[in-house]
Amino acid sequence: KALQLHEESLSGRKNVVGLGIVPADEASGSTDLAVAVYVTKKLPLSKLKKEQVVPESLAVPGKSGTVQVPTRVIEQGKVALEAVERV
């Protein structure tokens, strides 16, 4: 639901090449999930305008109040379509 609610605002940011769902913390083995924001290149916060910064979490309304879903910024590099060879 977090991805669906925030997809438009996240995908419209400069440098963002994709979105997804990933483990919140791969190292801990936790089953908690996060919204992945794939970027061409990670940049220091000092090089970004306020509206370009990916928030640490996304607010999602729920039955018992607002839930904060974490985000992870992942450097992906440039994304391009692959040529498909027809057989």
Side-chain angles (χ1 to χ4, degrees), residues 12-31:
R13 294 168 196 250
K14 185 178 179 182
N15 201 25
V16 172
V17 294
L19 302 169
I21 304 293
V22 296
D25 182 6
E26 292 181 64
S28 73
S30 170
T31 58

Side-chain angles (χ1 to χ4, degrees), residues 10-85:
L10 292 171
S11 63
R13 294 168 196 250
K14 185 178 179 182
N15 201 25
V16 172
V17 294
L19 302 169
I21 304 293
V22 296
D25 182 6
E26 292 181 64
S28 73
S30 170
T31 58
D32 293 341
L33 298 175
V35 172
V37 181
Y38 296 97
V39 296
T40 307
K41 182 167 178 62
K42 276 187 164 184
L43 299 171
L45 290 176
S46 61
K47 298 242 180 194
L48 296 171
K49 294 180 181 175
K50 184 178 179 180
E51 62 273 5
Q52 294 173 327
V53 175
V54 174
E56 289 186 21
S57 64
L58 304 170
V60 178
K63 290 181 183 176
S64 31
T66 301
V67 175
Q68 294 295 323
V69 176
T71 61
R72 285 186 51 203
V73 177
I74 300 170
E75 189 171 312
Q76 175 68 39
K78 290 190 178 189
V79 176
L81 294 174
E82 292 183 14
V84 177
E85 186 177 317

